Amino acid sequence: MDASFANTLGPQDQQFLDLGIDKSEPVSTIISNDFSQKDEFLLPSLPCTPYEEGETTMIALSARAVPHQATSNSYIEQNLRPQGLSLESDRDFLTNRVNTSSLAPVDGGFGAWSFLFSAFFVELIVWGFPCAFGTFLDAYLRDPTYASQKNAQLLLPMIGTMTSGIIYCSGPVTYPLIYRYPMYTRISMWIGAAICFASLFGASYTTSVVNLVLCQGVLYAIGGTMLYNPCINYMNEWFIARRGLANGVISAGAAAGGLILPLVLPGIIDRYGTAKTLRIIAVVFAVCLLPMLPFLKGRLPLARVVGPAVRSGGEDRKWMKSPGFRFVMIVNTIQGFGYFVPLVWLPTFASELHLNATNSSLALSLLNGASLIGTLGFGALTDHMDTWLLAFSTLLGTCLATFVGWGVISYSLAGLIAFGMAYGVLAGGWSSFWPGFIKTVVSQEDPRLATTLMGYLMFSRGLGNILSTPITAAMAHPKGLSAVEGRLGFGVGNGKFENVIVYTGTCFAGASLIAGVGWVVEKSYQRSSTRR
């Protein structure tokens, strides 16, 4: 290094040069020599960014820096500085925050596993409650205080699906905010936890159906969104090779909540009523959640997240050109229109079989318990098998389980349990396929884009989640049946659920057909891309 250059450097610049990087050394050599394979994917998030210092500039390369020709302050203003930092503080920001040599390992280690364990509990609380809402719905519909109100038969079933639907549809809105203001992400998670607690506590003090929808449905969903969506973003930082497994473990939290709550809630509701039960749940959720929040954090230092956008050479546009991903969006939406129907109506269906509250919730509980197996199993398989094959097989199997299991043999508790377990295993693991679909069009090493596409998939499924309940509520009416039909699942409740069952099975039949076409189209597209 020549003396004239050295004289222009301050003490903190010298700390960078002390790392031993020659300014004449090619960037590719620096990267290959100084970064592990698992950290190479992080480099585009700080791409050779000029940092002005008098007549010289430092290029930020993760924990390293090399001299570079000076450029204007406007580049730093537009591309480097995070929100709220002055130009003078850029040097401290780079020196103190951009240090990937201390990054925790991906796909393992205490940081990754403690995050995954905590995210599992967040999923259990945020998603488990709407998954188990069928138990509350059955109690509300049997209580004249709620059931006798105007439009109660339409509004009450919408509470659970509105909760999960809003969380699903929030991705395209919340993820850009997370990227733009990552310094507030963890604060928002604490606020979201407080909103979830307040919504359930507030719902316990109202007897108005409309207020129940607003508190237990909308407000809980807002808190759940603030609490849950950052976990998906952080997951894509912590896991790469095992991302499918990690997504399956987190998704299994909803199944675990749906397994436990329907078994516990009926006894509490029978003893204390719905109002006190909501207060008990609010307190239990808060006690379980608070110890987990400190472990819900990202792997990347804040400097890496608020730096300039990833330069992927068109990689961030590749998914738009993939015909296979367009089919994924269509199939995902149709699957959402069918999947949530049994979760809402199964306890009410069981009540029409004249089962007690415990047995009515048992079928829903076992369905969610089987979903736990499906999410974990299929999540692991997506890391090793063709996702399209798995998706087509499960959609076709779910279609058969709906028509045969629910429509034919569910005229008794044993048949209903058999249907619930088959449906849970086959349909419950659908969201575990998302990382597998995404990795076909996006590099696994781009956590920001992977999270964005996950948000789009959540949104499309959320549309079906919200709209399927009013659609099926309009279909659920008794009608005259023959003696043979009365001894089938189609005939339960004097045929009240026949159209609901046909609707659900048809959704999965259509989704499986489109998935088969999409599979063929995607393979053809990949072969043609390889030839080019």
Side-chain angles (χ1 to χ4, degrees), residues 190-348:
W190 287 86
I191 296 174
I195 292 175
C196 286
F197 172 84
S199 66
L200 296 181
F201 215 79
S204 70
Y205 286 98
T206 182
T207 57
S208 167
V209 171
V210 174
N211 289 337
L212 276 179
V213 173
L214 293 177
C215 290
Q216 197 172 345
V218 177
L219 191 59
Y220 186 87
I222 294 173
T225 296
M226 298 173 68
L227 185 57
Y228 170 76
N229 283 4
C231 293
I232 300 301
N233 184 48
Y234 290 153
M235 179 198 73
N236 288 321
E237 294 181 13
W238 283 109
F239 293 91
I240 300 176
R242 295 178 176 177
R243 189 171 292 167
L245 174 62
N247 187 69
V249 170
I250 294 177
S251 299
L259 170 65
I260 297 170
L261 291 177
L263 296 177
V264 174
L265 288 178
I268 301 177
I269 292 175
D270 288 343
R271 184 172 181 179
Y272 298 106
T274 54
K276 288 186 177 180
T277 300
L278 285 172
R279 293 169 209 156
I280 292 171
I281 291 175
V283 173
V284 172
F285 280 4
V287 171
C288 293
L289 187 59
L290 289 178
M292 303 298 167
L293 287 174
F295 298 100
L296 296 170
K297 55 187 177 182
R299 173 177 175 264
L300 305 182
L302 186 60
R304 301 300 295 277
V305 181
V306 300
V310 175
R311 295 180 181 176
S312 52
E315 181 75 15
D316 56 344
R317 304 288 181 180
K318 179 182 175 183
W319 67 274
M320 296 182 181
K321 303 176 182 178
S322 170
F325 195 78
R326 296 170 191 168
F327 276 96
V328 169
M329 293 292 290
I330 296 172
V331 172
N332 190 66
T333 304
I334 297 175
Q335 200 270 356
F337 270 89
Y339 172 70
F340 299 95
V341 176
L343 272 66
V344 173
W345 292 107
L346 221 56
T348 306

Side-chain angles (χ1 to χ4, degrees), residues 485-505:
E485 291 175 319
R487 291 195 294 269
L488 302 176
F490 288 117
V492 171
N494 198 26
K496 178 180 180 179
F497 300 98
E498 181 180 7
N499 291 336
V500 174
I501 296 170
V502 172
Y503 163 84
T504 305

Side-chain angles (χ1 to χ4, degrees), residues 127 161-170 332-337 340 434 454-469:
W127 289 98
T161 53
M162 183 173 293
T163 301
S164 51
I166 291 174
I167 299 174
Y168 270 126
C169 293
S170 65
N332 190 66
T333 304
I334 297 175
Q335 200 270 356
F337 270 89
F340 299 95
W434 292 349
M454 191 85 77
Y456 291 145
L457 288 170
M458 290 178 64
F459 177 82
S460 72
R461 199 183 195 207
L463 292 177
N465 184 13
I466 294 174
L467 297 176
S468 62
T469 298

Side-chain angles (χ1 to χ4, degrees), residues 398-434:
T398 306
C399 172
L400 296 175
T402 302
F403 281 119
V404 177
W406 197 6
V408 177
I409 68 174
S410 292
Y411 58 86
S412 64
L413 177 61
L416 190 61
I417 289 175
F419 160 70
M421 296 184 69
Y423 187 89
V425 170
L426 293 169
W430 176 257
S431 59
S432 297
F433 297 145
W434 292 349

